[in-house]
Amino acid sequence: MEKAACNPYPSKAMTRFYMAVVAVLAFTGFGQMPIFKRYYLADIPGLGWSANFFVTHAIHYIGASLLFFIIAYQITGYFMRGRHYYSLTRSGWARVIFLVGLVVTGIFRVLKNMPDIVFSPNFTMFIDFAHLGFAMLFLFSCLGFLLFHTGWCEEDATT
Amino acid sequence: MGKISRRSFIKGSIATAGAMGASAVPLPASAKGVGAGELATLIDIGKCIGCGACVEACRETNGRKFPEPKKPFPKMYPPRVRTADWSDKRDVDDRLTPYNWLFIQYATVNINGEETTLTVPRRCMHCTNPPCADLCPFGAARKLKNGITRIHPDICLGGAKCKMVCPWDIPERQTGVGPYLQVLPNFAGNGAMFKCDRCFDRIDQGLVPACIEACPEDVQTIGPRNEIIAAAHARAKEINGYIYGETENGGTNTLYVSPVPFEELNKALEKGPGMPHMEPVADSMALADNLGMALLLAPIAGIVAGFIKFTGFSKQKSSQDNKES
Ligand code: SF4
Ligand code: SF4
Ligand code: SF4
């Protein structure tokens, strides 16, 4: 393994960046529900903005853009090089499935918010609840995997 | 009190619904087969005599949709969360409440040197890109294809986010009703939100909204948005008037024509809780629309960055492979 030279395994910096983006998305995502004001979070000095739905919404979009960038970057890396070095663990696959669910429902939510795009009420509701559901599944699984130190990838024996 | 011209002006395809006076006025022919686009209404302020027939008709027609809360309300935590109870004040009709989705707002202005009190029917504007529906986390507030924005009382949890993001603070809360009672009534939700649903059920049956039908002065008309905009411009030209709603909040499906500038009208309007303003309103969703476009482009940037980076790896790897062999 020429790890130091050219291993395309996600770098530490990338992993930290990804975790920060997920944290921002989780915070601003929950901030879309009217709970931060009710539960005093927005009263904490410096967190007043968290009760402004337009602000948290904009940050959520920016966070989602960064997440999309990271996902596309890593997928490109995986198919160009990574698959020769490592494969996803089972917990990695679980996260991929939840992330795909989050991303797809998120895209539909973004489309819904565009002018001139109107989905049926039932589809809109399904998308809203599915996005929330995938977010819960993803975050709880991340917590579990963090506790049990289950990583995303494992190095292939062949490399 | 002076009165201003009440000439009927809509001709052609958009029917002056109230004039027909029948108990069930059909939608204008041009507004049927709604798929073609969104329906908008035009409110000609100068024609309104403030009789309140529209307000009464709305309450009668939609009374069965009004909340019937269970009391006592569940105790709210933290205790600073305030309940909203209009169930003992159902008669209030001079502002928006969960039991009054339309009210008449007064403004005394000067028209041609004559002091005139204008009466303005006010209700939800039915925005073309409504922040209340876009940002509702549960899909309870929804925009329909025919241009109606409606809050479903069986889904709404009453958190009032729709009201907070509405430029006109339109939706009104009633505690003690809705699905929050079945979930965590003490800790999440606080009732349901209520507002004009533009008589969606009547529109579904091919009828005009109750307030339009009841008006003796043909103040309101309904039709496809492009025709309503054209009619608003024609009327504004005719009376040297002004338009509100064509561009406010990115455009609404309720347009007003006023004989005085809206700046002047807004200053004179009685405003406060449940009594919305008529200020200029920028498009609330514009930033989200722009960020949304960026979001859809982000994966392309990721692929390009990945390609550049990992092409480098490939070269490094193959040169190493060559050395090793
Ligand atoms: S006026 Fe307010 S409540 Fe009505 S559609 Fe627009 S944002 Fe929603
Ligand atoms: S459109 Fe219907 S719900 Fe809205 S104000 Fe008129 S009568 Fe009331
Ligand atoms: S019924 Fe017509 S004239 Fe009477 S208050 Fe309503 S809009 Fe004005």
Side-chain angles (χ1 to χ4, degrees), chain B residues 85-128:
Chain B
D85 185 14
W86 288 92
S87 60
D88 298 328
K89 296 174 276 182
R90 298 183 189 215
D91 292 343
V92 172
D93 65 359
D94 58 358
R95 56 160 287 171
L96 299 174
T97 80
Y99 301 89
N100 197 62
W101 299 351
L102 168 69
F103 79 106
I104 305 299
Q105 205 170 16
Y106 296 87
T108 302
V109 294
N110 201 299
I111 303 175
N112 302 328
E114 196 184 346
E115 201 169 81
T116 305
T117 298
L118 294 176
T119 49
V120 190
R122 296 304 303 274
R123 54 161 170 77
C124 170
M125 299 288 287
H126 297 281
C127 305
T128 54

mmCIF file of all heavy atoms in Angstrom, chain B residues 85-128:
data_model
loop_
_atom_site.group_PDB
_atom_site.id
_atom_site.type_symbol
_atom_site.label_atom_id
_atom_site.label_comp_id
_atom_site.label_asym_id
_atom_site.label_seq_id
_atom_site.Cartn_x
_atom_site.Cartn_y
_atom_site.Cartn_z
ATOM 1 N N ASP B 85 -56.469 31.533 21.713
ATOM 2 C CA ASP B 85 -57.851 31.053 21.766
ATOM 3 C C ASP B 85 -58.817 32.126 21.279
ATOM 4 O O ASP B 85 -58.997 33.160 21.912
ATOM 5 C CB ASP B 85 -58.201 30.653 23.203
ATOM 6 C CG ASP B 85 -59.594 30.037 23.282
ATOM 7 O OD1 ASP B 85 -60.148 29.694 22.210
ATOM 8 O OD2 ASP B 85 -60.120 29.899 24.400
ATOM 9 N N TRP B 86 -59.407 31.861 20.135
ATOM 10 C CA TRP B 86 -60.397 32.765 19.561
ATOM 11 C C TRP B 86 -61.797 32.176 19.633
ATOM 12 O O TRP B 86 -62.746 32.763 19.144
ATOM 13 C CB TRP B 86 -60.046 33.067 18.090
ATOM 14 C CG TRP B 86 -58.863 33.958 17.963
ATOM 15 C CD1 TRP B 86 -57.566 33.576 17.825
ATOM 16 C CD2 TRP B 86 -58.856 35.388 18.001
ATOM 17 N NE1 TRP B 86 -56.739 34.678 17.768
ATOM 18 C CE2 TRP B 86 -57.524 35.803 17.868
ATOM 19 C CE3 TRP B 86 -59.853 36.357 18.132
ATOM 20 C CZ2 TRP B 86 -57.151 37.143 17.856
ATOM 21 C CZ3 TRP B 86 -59.498 37.693 18.118
ATOM 22 C CH2 TRP B 86 -58.155 38.081 17.990
ATOM 23 N N SER B 87 -61.896 30.980 20.258
ATOM 24 C CA SER B 87 -63.174 30.266 20.181
ATOM 25 C C SER B 87 -64.286 30.995 20.945
ATOM 26 O O SER B 87 -65.462 30.771 20.673
ATOM 27 C CB SER B 87 -63.009 28.831 20.690
ATOM 28 O OG SER B 87 -62.563 28.853 22.026
ATOM 29 N N ASP B 88 -63.926 31.850 21.913
ATOM 30 C CA ASP B 88 -64.956 32.621 22.616
ATOM 31 C C ASP B 88 -65.121 34.016 22.004
ATOM 32 O O ASP B 88 -65.865 34.838 22.525
ATOM 33 C CB ASP B 88 -64.584 32.767 24.107
ATOM 34 C CG ASP B 88 -64.503 31.417 24.791
ATOM 35 O OD1 ASP B 88 -65.262 30.512 24.374
ATOM 36 O OD2 ASP B 88 -63.665 31.257 25.696
ATOM 37 N N LYS B 89 -64.363 34.263 20.937
ATOM 38 C CA LYS B 89 -64.454 35.586 20.288
ATOM 39 C C LYS B 89 -64.738 35.387 18.796
ATOM 40 O O LYS B 89 -64.129 36.017 17.949
ATOM 41 C CB LYS B 89 -63.140 36.361 20.478
ATOM 42 C CG LYS B 89 -62.827 36.689 21.945
ATOM 43 C CD LYS B 89 -61.465 37.315 22.097
ATOM 44 C CE LYS B 89 -60.403 36.256 22.176
ATOM 45 N NZ LYS B 89 -59.038 36.722 22.369
ATOM 46 N N ARG B 90 -65.636 34.468 18.531
ATOM 47 C CA ARG B 90 -65.906 34.131 17.132
ATOM 48 C C ARG B 90 -66.543 35.284 16.366
ATOM 49 O O ARG B 90 -66.514 35.310 15.148
ATOM 50 C CB ARG B 90 -66.815 32.898 17.045
ATOM 51 C CG ARG B 90 -66.172 31.673 17.641
ATOM 52 C CD ARG B 90 -67.051 30.446 17.485
ATOM 53 N NE ARG B 90 -66.485 29.350 18.262
ATOM 54 C CZ ARG B 90 -66.522 28.082 17.902
ATOM 55 N NH1 ARG B 90 -67.118 27.727 16.782
ATOM 56 N NH2 ARG B 90 -65.988 27.158 18.659
ATOM 57 N N ASP B 91 -67.138 36.211 17.111
ATOM 58 C CA ASP B 91 -67.838 37.313 16.438
ATOM 59 C C ASP B 91 -66.896 38.369 15.887
ATOM 60 O O ASP B 91 -67.313 39.197 15.077
ATOM 61 C CB ASP B 91 -68.816 37.995 17.412
ATOM 62 C CG ASP B 91 -69.963 37.067 17.775
ATOM 63 O OD1 ASP B 91 -70.158 36.080 17.030
ATOM 64 O OD2 ASP B 91 -70.620 37.315 18.791
ATOM 65 N N VAL B 92 -65.670 38.383 16.360
ATOM 66 C CA VAL B 92 -64.730 39.421 15.907
ATOM 67 C C VAL B 92 -64.639 39.390 14.383
ATOM 68 O O VAL B 92 -64.324 38.356 13.791
ATOM 69 C CB VAL B 92 -63.325 39.192 16.530
ATOM 70 C CG1 VAL B 92 -62.304 40.141 15.915
ATOM 71 C CG2 VAL B 92 -63.379 39.350 18.038
ATOM 72 N N ASP B 93 -64.948 40.491 13.744
ATOM 73 C CA ASP B 93 -64.873 40.499 12.273
ATOM 74 C C ASP B 93 -64.129 41.720 11.735
ATOM 75 O O ASP B 93 -64.222 42.039 10.557
ATOM 76 C CB ASP B 93 -66.271 40.388 11.635
ATOM 77 C CG ASP B 93 -67.135 41.597 11.943
ATOM 78 O OD1 ASP B 93 -66.667 42.503 12.662
ATOM 79 O OD2 ASP B 93 -68.286 41.638 11.469
ATOM 80 N N ASP B 94 -63.402 42.399 12.635
ATOM 81 C CA ASP B 94 -62.657 43.573 12.154
ATOM 82 C C ASP B 94 -61.160 43.298 12.072
ATOM 83 O O ASP B 94 -60.343 44.209 12.084
ATOM 84 C CB ASP B 94 -62.935 44.791 13.052
ATOM 85 C CG ASP B 94 -62.581 44.534 14.512
ATOM 86 O OD1 ASP B 94 -62.162 43.399 14.837
ATOM 87 O OD2 ASP B 94 -62.737 45.459 15.332
ATOM 88 N N ARG B 95 -60.803 42.040 12.032
ATOM 89 C CA ARG B 95 -59.410 41.634 11.817
ATOM 90 C C ARG B 95 -59.417 40.161 11.394
ATOM 91 O O ARG B 95 -60.464 39.520 11.393
ATOM 92 C CB ARG B 95 -58.573 41.821 13.082
ATOM 93 C CG ARG B 95 -59.118 41.085 14.304
ATOM 94 C CD ARG B 95 -58.068 40.873 15.380
ATOM 95 N NE ARG B 95 -57.105 39.841 14.980
ATOM 96 C CZ ARG B 95 -55.976 39.576 15.654
ATOM 97 N NH1 ARG B 95 -55.658 40.267 16.718
ATOM 98 N NH2 ARG B 95 -55.165 38.616 15.253
ATOM 99 N N LEU B 96 -58.248 39.636 11.054
ATOM 100 C CA LEU B 96 -58.153 38.217 10.724
ATOM 101 C C LEU B 96 -58.078 37.419 12.018
ATOM 102 O O LEU B 96 -57.347 37.797 12.943
ATOM 103 C CB LEU B 96 -56.904 37.946 9.869
ATOM 104 C CG LEU B 96 -56.838 38.650 8.517
ATOM 105 C CD1 LEU B 96 -55.488 38.397 7.856
ATOM 106 C CD2 LEU B 96 -57.973 38.198 7.596
ATOM 107 N N THR B 97 -58.854 36.355 12.090
ATOM 108 C CA THR B 97 -58.780 35.416 13.211
ATOM 109 C C THR B 97 -59.010 34.021 12.613
ATOM 110 O O THR B 97 -59.359 33.910 11.430
ATOM 111 C CB THR B 97 -59.878 35.684 14.281
ATOM 112 O OG1 THR B 97 -61.123 35.123 13.828
ATOM 113 C CG2 THR B 97 -60.055 37.163 14.588
ATOM 114 N N PRO B 98 -58.867 32.958 13.438
ATOM 115 C CA PRO B 98 -59.152 31.623 12.876
ATOM 116 C C PRO B 98 -60.617 31.482 12.469
ATOM 117 O O PRO B 98 -60.983 30.554 11.758
ATOM 118 C CB PRO B 98 -58.820 30.680 14.039
ATOM 119 C CG PRO B 98 -57.962 31.463 14.973
ATOM 120 C CD PRO B 98 -58.351 32.892 14.814
ATOM 121 N N TYR B 99 -61.459 32.397 12.931
ATOM 122 C CA TYR B 99 -62.886 32.358 12.621
ATOM 123 C C TYR B 99 -63.298 33.495 11.696
ATOM 124 O O TYR B 99 -64.479 33.725 11.475
ATOM 125 C CB TYR B 99 -63.698 32.433 13.919
ATOM 126 C CG TYR B 99 -63.384 31.303 14.869
ATOM 127 C CD1 TYR B 99 -62.363 31.417 15.806
ATOM 128 C CD2 TYR B 99 -64.097 30.102 14.808
ATOM 129 C CE1 TYR B 99 -62.057 30.379 16.660
ATOM 130 C CE2 TYR B 99 -63.805 29.050 15.666
ATOM 131 C CZ TYR B 99 -62.774 29.198 16.593
ATOM 132 O OH TYR B 99 -62.473 28.160 17.437
ATOM 133 N N ASN B 100 -62.335 34.237 11.213
ATOM 134 C CA ASN B 100 -62.649 35.348 10.312
ATOM 135 C C ASN B 100 -61.503 35.495 9.309
ATOM 136 O O ASN B 100 -60.470 36.061 9.638
ATOM 137 C CB ASN B 100 -62.828 36.643 11.129
ATOM 138 C CG ASN B 100 -63.545 37.701 10.334
ATOM 139 O OD1 ASN B 100 -64.699 37.496 9.938
ATOM 140 N ND2 ASN B 100 -62.884 38.810 10.060
ATOM 141 N N TRP B 101 -61.717 34.978 8.130
ATOM 142 C CA TRP B 101 -60.617 34.882 7.160
ATOM 143 C C TRP B 101 -60.565 36.070 6.200
ATOM 144 O O TRP B 101 -59.709 36.146 5.329
ATOM 145 C CB TRP B 101 -60.766 33.590 6.344
ATOM 146 C CG TRP B 101 -60.714 32.355 7.199
ATOM 147 C CD1 TRP B 101 -60.384 32.273 8.520
ATOM 148 C CD2 TRP B 101 -60.982 31.010 6.771
ATOM 149 N NE1 TRP B 101 -60.439 30.963 8.940
ATOM 150 C CE2 TRP B 101 -60.800 30.165 7.890
ATOM 151 C CE3 TRP B 101 -61.357 30.432 5.551
ATOM 152 C CZ2 TRP B 101 -60.981 28.783 7.831
ATOM 153 C CZ3 TRP B 101 -61.535 29.051 5.478
ATOM 154 C CH2 TRP B 101 -61.345 28.244 6.613
ATOM 155 N N LEU B 102 -61.527 36.962 6.375
ATOM 156 C CA LEU B 102 -61.619 38.146 5.508
ATOM 157 C C LEU B 102 -62.183 39.274 6.344
ATOM 158 O O LEU B 102 -63.111 39.060 7.121
ATOM 159 C CB LEU B 102 -62.571 37.816 4.335
ATOM 160 C CG LEU B 102 -63.060 38.942 3.448
ATOM 161 C CD1 LEU B 102 -61.922 39.504 2.607
ATOM 162 C CD2 LEU B 102 -64.170 38.453 2.519
ATOM 163 N N PHE B 103 -61.575 40.442 6.255
ATOM 164 C CA PHE B 103 -62.151 41.580 6.977
ATOM 165 C C PHE B 103 -61.996 42.831 6.130
ATOM 166 O O PHE B 103 -61.273 42.839 5.132
ATOM 167 C CB PHE B 103 -61.497 41.750 8.368
ATOM 168 C CG PHE B 103 -60.154 42.429 8.321
ATOM 169 C CD1 PHE B 103 -60.000 43.753 8.748
ATOM 170 C CD2 PHE B 103 -59.035 41.759 7.853
ATOM 171 C CE1 PHE B 103 -58.766 44.383 8.712
ATOM 172 C CE2 PHE B 103 -57.788 42.384 7.811
ATOM 173 C CZ PHE B 103 -57.663 43.696 8.241
ATOM 174 N N ILE B 104 -62.715 43.866 6.525
ATOM 175 C CA ILE B 104 -62.654 45.130 5.783
ATOM 176 C C ILE B 104 -61.759 46.098 6.548
ATOM 177 O O ILE B 104 -61.973 46.367 7.726
ATOM 178 C CB ILE B 104 -64.072 45.744 5.614
ATOM 179 C CG1 ILE B 104 -65.021 44.732 4.946
ATOM 180 C CG2 ILE B 104 -63.996 47.046 4.816
ATOM 181 C CD1 ILE B 104 -64.613 44.292 3.553
ATOM 182 N N GLN B 105 -60.767 46.598 5.845
ATOM 183 C CA GLN B 105 -59.798 47.507 6.456
ATOM 184 C C GLN B 105 -60.112 48.928 5.956
ATOM 185 O O GLN B 105 -60.462 49.098 4.781
ATOM 186 C CB GLN B 105 -58.403 47.077 5.985
ATOM 187 C CG GLN B 105 -57.272 47.444 6.893
ATOM 188 C CD GLN B 105 -55.978 46.751 6.463
ATOM 189 O OE1 GLN B 105 -55.873 46.251 5.349
ATOM 190 N NE2 GLN B 105 -55.007 46.724 7.335
ATOM 191 N N TYR B 106 -59.976 49.882 6.839
ATOM 192 C CA TYR B 106 -60.342 51.252 6.479
ATOM 193 C C TYR B 106 -59.111 52.142 6.299
ATOM 194 O O TYR B 106 -58.118 51.978 6.998
ATOM 195 C CB TYR B 106 -61.236 51.864 7.566
ATOM 196 C CG TYR B 106 -62.557 51.134 7.703
ATOM 197 C CD1 TYR B 106 -62.681 50.025 8.531
ATOM 198 C CD2 TYR B 106 -63.669 51.550 6.979
ATOM 199 C CE1 TYR B 106 -63.888 49.341 8.640
ATOM 200 C CE2 TYR B 106 -64.883 50.873 7.077
ATOM 201 C CZ TYR B 106 -64.978 49.769 7.915
ATOM 202 O OH TYR B 106 -66.166 49.099 8.008
ATOM 203 N N ALA B 107 -59.208 53.072 5.363
ATOM 204 C CA ALA B 107 -58.136 54.046 5.164
ATOM 205 C C ALA B 107 -58.765 55.344 4.668
ATOM 206 O O ALA B 107 -59.461 55.347 3.650
ATOM 207 C CB ALA B 107 -57.136 53.528 4.138
ATOM 208 N N THR B 108 -58.533 56.398 5.408
ATOM 209 C CA THR B 108 -59.066 57.688 4.969
ATOM 210 C C THR B 108 -57.973 58.434 4.214
ATOM 211 O O THR B 108 -56.901 58.703 4.760
ATOM 212 C CB THR B 108 -59.580 58.509 6.167
ATOM 213 O OG1 THR B 108 -60.569 57.725 6.825
ATOM 214 C CG2 THR B 108 -60.201 59.823 5.721
ATOM 215 N N VAL B 109 -58.244 58.671 2.958
ATOM 216 C CA VAL B 109 -57.245 59.293 2.079
ATOM 217 C C VAL B 109 -57.863 60.504 1.368
ATOM 218 O O VAL B 109 -59.074 60.739 1.467
ATOM 219 C CB VAL B 109 -56.728 58.277 1.015
ATOM 220 C CG1 VAL B 109 -55.957 57.162 1.673
ATOM 221 C CG2 VAL B 109 -57.879 57.718 0.192
ATOM 222 N N ASN B 110 -57.009 61.191 0.656
ATOM 223 C CA ASN B 110 -57.477 62.359 -0.066
ATOM 224 C C ASN B 110 -57.502 62.063 -1.568
ATOM 225 O O ASN B 110 -56.474 61.734 -2.150
ATOM 226 C CB ASN B 110 -56.498 63.509 0.240
ATOM 227 C CG ASN B 110 -57.141 64.833 -0.017
ATOM 228 O OD1 ASN B 110 -57.526 65.098 -1.151
ATOM 229 N ND2 ASN B 110 -57.262 65.657 1.020
ATOM 230 N N ILE B 111 -58.682 62.144 -2.166
ATOM 231 C CA ILE B 111 -58.755 61.928 -3.610
ATOM 232 C C ILE B 111 -59.308 63.206 -4.248
ATOM 233 O O ILE B 111 -60.433 63.602 -3.939
ATOM 234 C CB ILE B 111 -59.650 60.714 -3.963
ATOM 235 C CG1 ILE B 111 -59.123 59.451 -3.268
ATOM 236 C CG2 ILE B 111 -59.703 60.494 -5.469
ATOM 237 C CD1 ILE B 111 -60.009 58.237 -3.449
ATOM 238 N N ASN B 112 -58.529 63.811 -5.099
ATOM 239 C CA ASN B 112 -58.908 65.065 -5.758
ATOM 240 C C ASN B 112 -59.406 66.111 -4.755
ATOM 241 O O ASN B 112 -60.458 66.716 -4.945
ATOM 242 C CB ASN B 112 -59.989 64.817 -6.825
ATOM 243 C CG ASN B 112 -59.514 63.817 -7.857
ATOM 244 O OD1 ASN B 112 -58.318 63.752 -8.156
ATOM 245 N ND2 ASN B 112 -60.442 63.022 -8.379
ATOM 246 N N GLY B 113 -58.676 66.237 -3.663
ATOM 247 C CA GLY B 113 -59.023 67.256 -2.675
ATOM 248 C C GLY B 113 -60.182 66.853 -1.775
ATOM 249 O O GLY B 113 -60.578 67.614 -0.882
ATOM 250 N N GLU B 114 -60.728 65.674 -1.992
ATOM 251 C CA GLU B 114 -61.874 65.257 -1.178
ATOM 252 C C GLU B 114 -61.458 64.133 -0.246
ATOM 253 O O GLU B 114 -60.848 63.157 -0.673
ATOM 254 C CB GLU B 114 -62.980 64.751 -2.122
ATOM 255 C CG GLU B 114 -64.322 64.661 -1.462
ATOM 256 C CD GLU B 114 -65.366 64.057 -2.416
ATOM 257 O OE1 GLU B 114 -65.080 63.980 -3.634
ATOM 258 O OE2 GLU B 114 -66.423 63.650 -1.945
ATOM 259 N N GLU B 115 -61.775 64.267 1.026
ATOM 260 C CA GLU B 115 -61.428 63.219 1.977
ATOM 261 C C GLU B 115 -62.344 62.017 1.758
ATOM 262 O O GLU B 115 -63.573 62.155 1.773
ATOM 263 C CB GLU B 115 -61.575 63.749 3.413
ATOM 264 C CG GLU B 115 -60.775 62.915 4.377
ATOM 265 C CD GLU B 115 -60.675 63.552 5.747
ATOM 266 O OE1 GLU B 115 -61.632 63.416 6.508
ATOM 267 O OE2 GLU B 115 -59.641 64.186 6.028
ATOM 268 N N THR B 116 -61.731 60.884 1.525
ATOM 269 C CA THR B 116 -62.511 59.695 1.165
ATOM 270 C C THR B 116 -62.059 58.521 2.012
ATOM 271 O O THR B 116 -60.861 58.318 2.190
ATOM 272 C CB THR B 116 -62.261 59.348 -0.325
ATOM 273 O OG1 THR B 116 -62.557 60.506 -1.101
ATOM 274 C CG2 THR B 116 -63.091 58.183 -0.785
ATOM 275 N N THR B 117 -63.017 57.768 2.540
ATOM 276 C CA THR B 117 -62.625 56.566 3.266
ATOM 277 C C THR B 117 -62.742 55.376 2.330
ATOM 278 O O THR B 117 -63.827 55.063 1.827
ATOM 279 C CB THR B 117 -63.499 56.355 4.520
ATOM 280 O OG1 THR B 117 -63.292 57.461 5.393
ATOM 281 C CG2 THR B 117 -63.097 55.076 5.245
ATOM 282 N N LEU B 118 -61.609 54.759 2.100
ATOM 283 C CA LEU B 118 -61.604 53.577 1.253
ATOM 284 C C LEU B 118 -61.768 52.347 2.143
ATOM 285 O O LEU B 118 -61.257 52.315 3.269
ATOM 286 C CB LEU B 118 -60.290 53.474 0.478
ATOM 287 C CG LEU B 118 -60.026 54.556 -0.564
ATOM 288 C CD1 LEU B 118 -58.635 54.378 -1.173
ATOM 289 C CD2 LEU B 118 -61.086 54.535 -1.664
ATOM 290 N N THR B 119 -62.480 51.370 1.636
ATOM 291 C CA THR B 119 -62.651 50.113 2.371
ATOM 292 C C THR B 119 -61.979 49.019 1.563
ATOM 293 O O THR B 119 -62.244 48.877 0.363
ATOM 294 C CB THR B 119 -64.146 49.807 2.573
ATOM 295 O OG1 THR B 119 -64.813 49.943 1.318
ATOM 296 C CG2 THR B 119 -64.762 50.762 3.582
ATOM 297 N N VAL B 120 -61.103 48.290 2.234
ATOM 298 C CA VAL B 120 -60.275 47.318 1.508
ATOM 299 C C VAL B 120 -60.517 45.908 2.046
ATOM 300 O O VAL B 120 -60.193 45.622 3.197
ATOM 301 C CB VAL B 120 -58.775 47.663 1.664
ATOM 302 C CG1 VAL B 120 -57.926 46.823 0.714
ATOM 303 C CG2 VAL B 120 -58.514 49.142 1.474
ATOM 304 N N PRO B 121 -61.080 45.006 1.251
ATOM 305 C CA PRO B 121 -61.232 43.618 1.698
ATOM 306 C C PRO B 121 -59.845 42.975 1.802
ATOM 307 O O PRO B 121 -59.089 42.999 0.833
ATOM 308 C CB PRO B 121 -62.056 42.957 0.583
ATOM 309 C CG PRO B 121 -62.575 44.087 -0.256
ATOM 310 C CD PRO B 121 -61.631 45.224 -0.094
ATOM 311 N N ARG B 122 -59.536 42.444 2.974
ATOM 312 C CA ARG B 122 -58.202 41.854 3.177
ATOM 313 C C ARG B 122 -58.300 40.383 3.588
ATOM 314 O O ARG B 122 -59.104 40.006 4.432
ATOM 315 C CB ARG B 122 -57.442 42.614 4.291
ATOM 316 C CG ARG B 122 -57.125 44.057 3.986
ATOM 317 C CD ARG B 122 -56.345 44.292 2.717
ATOM 318 N NE ARG B 122 -55.067 43.614 2.611
ATOM 319 C CZ ARG B 122 -53.919 44.079 3.080
ATOM 320 N NH1 ARG B 122 -53.900 45.223 3.738
ATOM 321 N NH2 ARG B 122 -52.787 43.416 2.904
ATOM 322 N N ARG B 123 -57.411 39.607 3.013
ATOM 323 C CA ARG B 123 -57.308 38.178 3.314
ATOM 324 C C ARG B 123 -55.973 37.708 2.787
ATOM 325 O O ARG B 123 -55.137 38.532 2.389
ATOM 326 C CB ARG B 123 -58.463 37.417 2.645
ATOM 327 C CG ARG B 123 -58.545 37.699 1.142
ATOM 328 C CD ARG B 123 -59.334 36.671 0.416
ATOM 329 N NE ARG B 123 -59.621 37.036 -0.959
ATOM 330 C CZ ARG B 123 -58.761 36.974 -1.975
ATOM 331 N NH1 ARG B 123 -57.505 36.599 -1.764
ATOM 332 N NH2 ARG B 123 -59.120 37.309 -3.190
ATOM 333 N N CYS B 124 -55.741 36.396 2.778
ATOM 334 C CA CYS B 124 -54.498 35.841 2.240
ATOM 335 C C CYS B 124 -54.306 36.294 0.793
ATOM 336 O O CYS B 124 -55.259 36.360 0.020
ATOM 337 C CB CYS B 124 -54.557 34.319 2.311
ATOM 338 S SG CYS B 124 -53.225 33.511 1.426
ATOM 339 N N MET B 125 -53.055 36.604 0.439
ATOM 340 C CA MET B 125 -52.748 37.083 -0.907
ATOM 341 C C MET B 125 -52.592 35.930 -1.910
ATOM 342 O O MET B 125 -52.507 36.156 -3.100
ATOM 343 C CB MET B 125 -51.449 37.887 -0.887
ATOM 344 C CG MET B 125 -51.482 39.128 -0.003
ATOM 345 S SD MET B 125 -52.493 40.445 -0.683
ATOM 346 C CE MET B 125 -51.466 41.031 -2.024
ATOM 347 N N HIS B 126 -52.473 34.698 -1.424
ATOM 348 C CA HIS B 126 -52.236 33.530 -2.285
ATOM 349 C C HIS B 126 -51.047 33.780 -3.230
ATOM 350 O O HIS B 126 -51.195 33.859 -4.464
ATOM 351 C CB HIS B 126 -53.519 33.152 -3.045
ATOM 352 C CG HIS B 126 -54.607 32.732 -2.106
ATOM 353 N ND1 HIS B 126 -54.643 31.485 -1.538
ATOM 354 C CD2 HIS B 126 -55.649 33.419 -1.575
ATOM 355 C CE1 HIS B 126 -55.680 31.420 -0.704
ATOM 356 N NE2 HIS B 126 -56.306 32.583 -0.701
ATOM 357 N N CYS B 127 -49.887 33.907 -2.593
ATOM 358 C CA CYS B 127 -48.635 34.189 -3.319
ATOM 359 C C CYS B 127 -48.371 33.136 -4.399
ATOM 360 O O CYS B 127 -48.713 31.966 -4.220
ATOM 361 C CB CYS B 127 -47.456 34.169 -2.344
ATOM 362 S SG CYS B 127 -47.686 35.289 -0.961
ATOM 363 N N THR B 128 -47.720 33.558 -5.481
ATOM 364 C CA THR B 128 -47.413 32.584 -6.535
ATOM 365 C C THR B 128 -46.291 31.639 -6.093
ATOM 366 O O THR B 128 -46.230 30.497 -6.542
ATOM 367 C CB THR B 128 -47.015 33.282 -7.853
ATOM 368 O OG1 THR B 128 -45.949 34.188 -7.558
ATOM 369 C CG2 THR B 128 -48.180 34.053 -8.451
#
